[in-house]
Amino acid sequence: MEPIREYLAYVKVGRKQAYLNMTLFPLLAPDNGEPEYLTLDEALEREQIEVTEVSSSGSVPELKLINRGKQQVLIVEGEELHGAKQNRIVNSTFLVDGSCELVIPVSCVEQGRWGYRSERFRSGGQMMPPSLKRAHQQAVRTSLRRDQGFRSDQNTLWEQISAKGERLHTESATGAMADIYQKEEPRLSEYERAFRLTDAQVGAVFGVNGKILGAECFGFKHTFAGFFKKLIRSYALDAIDWFEQESPSKATAEKARAFMESVGTADTEVRNSLALGHDFRLESDFLTGAALAFNEKVLHLSVFKKESSGNSGKGHYDRFSDRRSRRAQ
């Protein structure tokens, strides 16, 4: 837990930004220089790495990654890969060493296709929305506790994607998460234009409908800048799904600071990562999360708020979705 507490000690909450029912609080930190690694998008663009099916027949929960360069590559939980036999998302955050080959755990986000569109995967340009990522992250933690590796609950993920597509009236021949993003592109672009990256920003606390929902943080501002639009769009997709015409001002900086402070008191499980560094799993009565640290420095931290005590046991995300479903009937 020490790397996470040290990281939180120098991260400060910045001035609120808001658009419609979505709120963002920048997380600011002193300049930490430039990372020595490349992100997945950067490595794919430079053709330093190659991501393919593990074999010609493929395996839904696994992909093969070959890093042909000397630089390490950071692959972030929830990043989407398009192509090959079906679109996938990465199950956890990994730092892949240079000049190595690795089988990475993934989940399918396109249930109705199992046939080649390309030999290699390309960046999907999107991340899994937080309503799906929170449950997915918890499923991976359960799998780790059972010594079953970084596996997810594939059937539940398919069900959640299908339900979101139905609520947002998305037509998709293959049940692809990407088709939901494409259908909502006009509104997603509006949210994207409303938020701006600030100086020294390494992360953000996000809120929807006046509630703090989660935070995404990185060890370097350069890395966060590369994920900024993806994260805005991922939270915006849930904001559109759960839209309520109420003031975003209810999500205050004090609540954002309290949320980040609670991260430092969560119970933590630490394991060796599949690749470099250590994998952290965080849990308390108030939040759940995951982090990757390398050389005692946090590279990525992703946390989500849990259901308030005394409620029905369903999370904020579930209640919003149920409410939306009831309104649509």
Side-chain angles (χ1 to χ4, degrees), residues 111 152-161:
Q111 183 176 7
S152 71
D153 184 339
Q154 182 63 74
N155 288 331
T156 296
L157 179 57
W158 277 333
E159 290 170 2
Q160 291 173 330
I161 293 172

Side-chain angles (χ1 to χ4, degrees), residues 14-302:
R15 183 174 298 179
K16 179 175 70 175
Q17 300 177 30
Y19 176 71
L20 297 178
N21 63 330
M22 180 169 156
T23 309
L24 179 156
F25 296 92
L27 294 174
L28 312 175
D31 191 353
N32 201 20
E34 296 292 319
E36 296 182 357
Y37 58 77
L38 297 175
T39 63
L40 176 62
D41 283 359
E42 290 170 336
L44 286 170
E45 183 178 355
R46 299 182 189 187
E47 299 184 347
Q48 175 176 315
I49 65 170
E50 177 182 304
V51 184
T52 64
E53 300 289 355
V54 293
S55 65
S56 59
S57 57
S59 172
V60 172
E62 298 175 318
L63 295 178
K64 181 170 68 175
L65 183 150
I66 302 175
N67 185 0
R68 303 187 188 282
K70 295 181 179 180
Q71 276 185 286
Q72 299 162 350
V73 177
L74 184 71
I75 303 173
V76 174
E77 172 192 16
E79 287 195 87
E80 187 176 16
L81 290 160
H82 283 186
K85 302 194 78 167
Q86 59 184 192
N87 297 347
R88 315 290 222 288
I89 56 95
V90 182
N91 280 0
S92 189
T93 298
F94 303 112
L95 182 66
V96 180
D97 206 357
S99 304
C100 77
E101 182 175 318
L102 186 69
V103 173
I104 58 173
V106 295
S107 299
C108 170
V109 287
E110 187 183 18
Q111 183 176 7
R113 177 171 71 91
W114 187 245
Y116 277 100
R117 286 182 179 169
S118 62
E119 181 181 349
R120 300 180 183 182
F121 283 89
R122 67 184 189 280
S123 172
Q126 310 285 1
M127 297 191 74
M128 185 162 51
S131 57
L132 276 62
K133 186 176 177 181
R134 175 176 174 265
H136 179 267
Q137 193 179 82
Q138 291 173 323
V140 171
R141 182 177 64 241
T142 298
S143 177
L144 287 168
R145 286 174 173 171
R146 294 173 177 171
D147 293 325
Q148 295 174 343
F150 293 84
R151 297 295 180 112
S152 71
D153 184 339
Q154 182 63 74
N155 288 331
T156 296
L157 179 57
W158 277 333
E159 290 170 2
Q160 291 173 330
I161 293 172
S162 177
K164 183 174 285 291
E166 289 179 8
R167 290 193 303 272
L168 293 173
H169 309 291
T170 304
E171 295 183 3
S172 175
T174 61
M177 184 178 77
D179 290 337
I180 304 175
Y181 273 101
Q182 183 176 4
K183 188 260 180 183
E184 294 298 333
E185 178 59 35
R187 287 195 285 181
L188 289 170
S189 295
E190 292 177 6
Y191 278 88
E192 182 183 323
R193 289 192 296 268
F195 296 95
R196 66 189 184 279
L197 191 67
T198 62
D199 292 339
Q201 187 170 357
V202 296
V205 178
F206 295 91
V208 172
N209 293 342
K211 300 178 184 293
I212 299 296
L213 296 185
E216 294 279 344
C217 325
F218 292 88
F220 298 88
K221 66 178 184 180
H222 172 84
T223 310
F224 180 75
F227 282 91
F228 182 66
K229 290 183 178 180
K230 287 185 182 182
L231 290 169
I232 294 296
R233 293 168 66 86
S234 70
Y235 271 87
L237 189 65
D238 280 344
I240 292 167
D241 186 6
W242 310 332
F243 185 79
E244 292 181 357
Q245 192 65 50
E246 60 180 66
S247 172
S249 63
K250 290 183 179 179
T252 64
E254 288 73 20
K255 290 181 180 179
R257 280 191 285 270
F259 177 70
M260 293 306 297
E261 287 171 2
S262 69
V263 176
T265 63
D267 294 332
T268 308
E269 300 172 6
V270 186
R271 299 174 178 84
N272 288 331
S273 175
L274 179 69
L276 299 174
H278 290 91
D279 178 89
F280 291 76
R281 299 286 150 169
L282 291 72
E283 187 170 21
S284 72
D285 292 338
F286 309 104
L287 61 84
T288 180
L292 177 71
F294 178 62
N295 288 339
E296 300 301 312
K297 301 294 183 183
V298 171
L299 300 186
H300 178 231
L301 171 65
S302 174

